[in-house]
Amino acid sequence: MVYYDERAYEYDEIYQGRGPAIPDSDAYKNDVEKIKETVSAFGKGHLIDVGCGTCFWLPFYARNCSQITLIDQSKKMLSVCKERVDKLGLRNKCHFIQGDFFRVDLEDNAYDSALVGFFISHLSLEQERMFFAKLKRILKPNAQLLIIDSAWSEKRKKYRKKEGMQKRRLNNGRIFTIYKRYFDKTDIERMFMTYNFKLESLYVGDVFLTAMGYRS
């Protein structure tokens, strides 16, 4: 959490291709534009944004939802998120939860859609199982699911390991070590099938991916 608190105010730079792991800023910009199209068509009813971070994607899905619950464990990430919500004039539609998704009390069968951004890739396989078990409990039948995460690609292979402890450097030079996984097409298909979600669309770019479907 120290890493994400410290990175909160520079986190969105990655979407602009600044300070990326792969020295190809256009790859980041191109994938972001593709994902914006998907996110703009996603969401309904009461949406929960798990690991919402700075709420970068909020402007693209907000109009599709009647209520939005934004949850993140990082206090500073959620602070940036609240600033964005206020600038968009969405405070009346949004509810904020600071806490660990695994520990916070969330109502069963309460949400019509869920966006999970860059969260699962920080979980071990056992934590992944726990995550989807809880996600299924809080989602209504046939609820929508959109996963946005980091892609494993030919470009990525040149600079990262597919799984393990990896270093991250902030603009001030401070270095952190975090656990990270990257996903390819097979990984996502396995995930949706294992946890009984129907996969409707999948985009795997050079750096980011989106997978959209619904709870079976």
Side-chain angles (χ1 to χ4, degrees):
M1 284 306 96
V2 175
Y3 166 68
Y4 281 104
D5 276 344
E6 293 298 315
R7 196 181 173 198
Y9 286 94
E10 62 189 63
Y11 187 85
D12 286 359
E13 292 179 2
I14 194 69
Y15 299 125
Q16 302 164 17
R18 301 209 305 266
I22 297 173
D24 181 356
S25 60
D26 287 341
Y28 289 82
K29 295 175 185 177
N30 291 339
D31 281 358
V32 166
E33 290 306 309
K34 287 283 188 179
I35 295 172
K36 283 180 182 179
E37 295 176 9
T38 301
V39 178
S40 295
F42 175 78
K44 64 177 181 177
H46 191 172
L47 179 147
I48 183 167
D49 192 330
V50 181
C52 64
T54 64
C55 299
F56 179 84
W57 307 107
L58 177 66
F60 307 102
Y61 69 71
R63 65 179 179 274
N64 302 325
C65 310
S66 57
Q67 297 181 69
I68 301 168
T69 294
L70 300 153
I71 177 171
D72 201 282
Q73 194 170 355
S74 166
K75 182 178 181 179
K76 289 188 178 179
M77 283 284 193
L78 207 59
S79 177
V80 176
C81 176
K82 290 177 180 178
E83 291 176 10
R84 177 164 273 141
V85 167
D86 288 339
K87 287 180 181 178
L88 293 169
L90 295 172
R91 179 67 73 152
N92 291 337
K93 184 183 284 192
C94 295
H95 172 59
F96 304 95
I97 300 175
Q98 183 194 342
D100 182 346
F101 176 79
F102 293 104
R103 296 182 179 182
V104 297
D105 186 21
L106 297 169
E107 184 181 350
D108 290 355
N109 298 307
Y111 301 97
D112 303 286
S113 50
L115 188 150
V116 185
F118 302 97
F119 183 78
I120 302 173
S121 55
H122 293 297
L123 305 180
S124 66
L125 191 58
E126 179 57 31
Q127 289 172 323
E128 177 191 292
R129 295 189 188 102
M130 294 168 57
F131 170 77
F132 275 98
K134 183 166 185 177
L135 184 66
K136 290 184 72 174
R137 288 200 306 270
I138 67 174
L139 291 180
K140 296 178 181 179
N142 299 312
Q144 295 179 331
L145 172 64
L146 178 62
I147 294 173
I148 305 173
D149 222 308
S150 303
W152 183 245
S153 65
E154 291 301 318
K155 284 190 176 183
R156 181 84 68 183
K157 291 177 183 178
K158 299 176 183 178
Y159 305 97
R160 297 291 191 196
K161 297 180 297 182
K162 192 172 190 290
E163 179 180 356
M165 302 305 295
Q166 306 196 25
K167 291 183 179 180
R168 295 290 185 271
R169 183 187 297 271
L170 302 183
N171 290 344
N172 63 10
R174 193 173 181 187
I175 296 174
F176 291 84
T177 302
I178 64 170
Y179 174 75
K180 179 75 173 180
R181 289 190 287 161
Y182 296 98
F183 301 124
D184 58 22
K185 179 175 181 288
T186 302
D187 295 322
I188 297 298
E189 291 174 339
R190 184 269 311 166
M191 196 180 297
F192 272 70
M193 182 175 65
T194 300
Y195 304 112
N196 295 314
F197 282 82
K198 178 68 174 178
L199 181 61
E200 289 189 312
S201 67
L202 175 61
Y203 167 77
V204 182
D206 287 325
V207 292
F208 300 138
L209 64 81
T210 58
M212 185 164 60
Y214 60 89
R215 179 186 169 189
S216 300

